[in-house]
Each structure stands twice: as C-alpha cells, then as structure tokens.
Amino acid sequence: MMMSRIEEYLDELFSEPKCELNYTKDYELLIAIMLSAQSTDKRVNSVTPILFEKYPSLSDLKNADIADLEEIIRSVGSFRKKSMYIKGISRMLDEECGGVVPTDREYLESMPGIGRKTTNVFLSEFYNYPAIAVDTHVERVSKRLGLAPKNSDVLKVERCLQRKFKKELWSKRHLQLVLFGRYHCKAVKPECINCKLQDLCKEKRKNI
Ligand code: SF4
C-alpha cells in the first residue's frame, strides 16, 4: 500500500524521467557524471560543451594541458582533482578499452574519480542496466519516506531500495527519486504543502 502510493505519485510527477546531463558519447556521459559530484547537472552542462569541443577525442583529452582543463571546468568545483580524473579516465579508456566505456563494474570503479554511484548512474543511463544509484537526493528522500532507516549508509539505502522496487523499474525509480529530491523534496525548504505523501513522511512536520 505504502509502496504503491509512493510509486504512483512518482509516476504522476515524472512519467518519463530523463537524466538531465547532456552528452553525445559514452565517455562524455561518464565524465559528465564524474564532474557532477558535489556539483549540479546545470553547472556540468555549462562546461561540457566547451570541454568536448576543444578536446573532441579521448586522445585529445588524455593529452590535454591540465591548466587548461582546470580553467574550463573551474565552475563545477573540485576542478584540480576533477581535471586529473578527466585525463586518467581518458587515458584508461583510450589505451585499455579501445575507446569504449566497458560494462565491467569492477573496472569502472577502478578508474580515477569513479565510485559505485557514478558506475550505477552510467550503467543504468547508457546501457539500461537495472541499477539504483544513491546520490544525496535519493538518500534524503528515501530516509524521509521511510524507505531506508535514518542511520543507513548509502550502500544500505541502495539495498533497501532494491528490495522495495521491482528490478525492471530500478533505473526509472532512481531517476524519479533524484528529480523528486531536486525539485520537490529539497534539502532546504521542501515543498511539503503540495506533497501527496505527507502522511507517510517522517520529516514533513518540521517543514510545514
Ligand atoms: Fe519531502 Fe515534505 Fe513530501 Fe516529506 S512531505 S516527502 S519532506 S516534500
């Protein structure tokens, strides 16, 4: 009952949820997801067209001048570290993978700046693999709605959500939870007044 209400509401709000990062190739998506850590999709979308136009191949990216990369991606934050990651990821893809982002989860997670969350988002978005990436929005919303215990770490939240949602819907539910957290159930001042899940929510009283 509780799950069907949550799922119906997510479907009502976001019937066809889409990833909001712009990309045209597999490695562009992987790099964009890496860049989005502790940043926003909007900021990432404002730098990636410049980055990928100036460095249009993996070979160009791996050989790029680090100071120039830093300048291009400065506004996304952590730009020094992320510039190194761009070069490292591009080098591995170019030299070890024939230029194609592989589906091997272990390999992906061995790349610089790529963790479990980035891997899940990539596999689910690009290869349509069932995966639930737990970012800050998914974690917050899941805990507010009691889909995962409050003291869970991200891995536990992921496991709880995997148990609660049908596997074929994992990727869709992930995107819906991200969008619900981004536009409705925000970290600060969530829009509880319009939320149809108030009666299920563990946080709404503080916010209304
Ligand atoms: Fe989020 Fe408020 Fe809805 Fe709770 S009632 S799920 S805090 S928007």
Side-chain angles (χ1 to χ4, degrees), residues 144-145 180 184-185 190-192 195 197-198 201 203-204 207:
R144 283 177 174 173
L145 288 173
F180 183 55
H184 298 263
C185 189
E191 291 170 12
C192 304
C195 179
L197 302 175
Q198 281 179 36
C201 182
E203 293 256 333
K204 58 117 204 220
N207 301 312

Side-chain angles (χ1 to χ4, degrees), residues 1 15 31 38 76 92 105 110 122 152 154 178 182 186:
M1 172 63 181
S15 55
I31 289 174
Q38 273 87 53
V76 303
M92 287 176 78
R105 176 181 283 284
S110 76
F122 176 80
S152 320
V154 284
V178 170
R182 193 175 285 164
K186 296 178 265 190

Side-chain angles (χ1 to χ4, degrees), residues 66-107:
I66 193 86
D68 191 42
L69 289 185
E70 288 175 4
E71 197 48 44
I72 294 171
I73 67 160
R74 181 176 288 266
S75 64
V76 303
S78 307
F79 59 92
R80 290 207 172 85
K81 207 169 59 179
K82 289 177 179 175
S83 296
M84 302 282 289
Y85 294 161
I86 291 175
K87 283 174 72 82
I89 292 167
S90 305
R91 188 193 56 72
M92 287 176 78
L93 290 175
D94 195 41
E95 295 173 11
E96 298 173 9
C97 310
V100 176
V101 182
T103 55
D104 180 340
R105 176 181 283 284
E106 221 173 293
Y107 182 82

Side-chain angles (χ1 to χ4, degrees), residues 20-35:
E20 294 188 326
L21 288 167
N22 298 333
Y23 64 95
T24 60
K25 298 180 191 133
D26 55 355
Y27 71 80
E28 290 187 5
L29 174 63
L30 187 66
I31 289 174
I33 302 168
M34 179 279 289
L35 290 174

Side-chain angles (χ1 to χ4, degrees), residues 6-166:
I6 292 174
E7 294 189 273
E8 273 167 32
Y9 190 44
L10 291 174
D11 283 339
E12 179 188 321
L13 290 174
F14 310 104
S15 55
E16 284 181 40
K18 299 254 181 316
C19 170
E20 294 188 326
L21 288 167
N22 298 333
Y23 64 95
T24 60
K25 298 180 191 133
D26 55 355
Y27 71 80
E28 290 187 5
L29 174 63
L30 187 66
I31 289 174
I33 302 168
M34 179 279 289
L35 290 174
S36 72
Q38 273 87 53
S39 190
T40 64
D41 288 2
K42 212 169 156 184
R43 276 209 190 118
V44 173
N45 287 338
S46 73
V47 305
T48 45
I50 303 164
L51 177 69
F52 297 131
E53 195 183 319
K54 187 154 187 193
Y55 299 101
S57 70
L58 286 168
S59 164
D60 294 323
L61 284 166
K62 78 174 182 189
N63 293 316
D65 176 59
I66 193 86
D68 191 42
L69 289 185
E70 288 175 4
E71 197 48 44
I72 294 171
I73 67 160
R74 181 176 288 266
S75 64
V76 303
S78 307
F79 59 92
R80 290 207 172 85
K81 207 169 59 179
K82 289 177 179 175
S83 296
M84 302 282 289
Y85 294 161
I86 291 175
K87 283 174 72 82
I89 292 167
S90 305
R91 188 193 56 72
M92 287 176 78
L93 290 175
D94 195 41
E95 295 173 11
E96 298 173 9
C97 310
V100 176
V101 182
T103 55
D104 180 340
R105 176 181 283 284
E106 221 173 293
Y107 182 82
L108 287 169
E109 289 185 25
S110 76
M111 294 178 133
I114 308 287
R116 185 175 180 83
K117 186 195 75 180
T118 304
T119 300
N120 276 338
V121 176
F122 176 80
L123 291 176
S124 138
E125 169 68 15
F126 199 81
Y127 288 117
N128 215 13
Y129 274 30
I132 301 185
V134 179
D135 70 355
T136 177
H137 299 299
V138 175
E139 182 179 2
R140 182 178 67 254
V141 169
S142 300
K143 290 180 179 177
R144 283 177 174 173
L145 288 173
L147 297 173
K150 228 178 159 58
N151 59 359
S152 320
D153 59 17
V154 284
L155 196 57
K156 177 138 192 224
V157 174
E158 185 180 326
R159 299 284 179 244
C160 289
L161 296 175
Q162 285 175 336
R163 275 200 300 274
K164 290 190 158 72
F165 294 123
K166 280 195 194 140

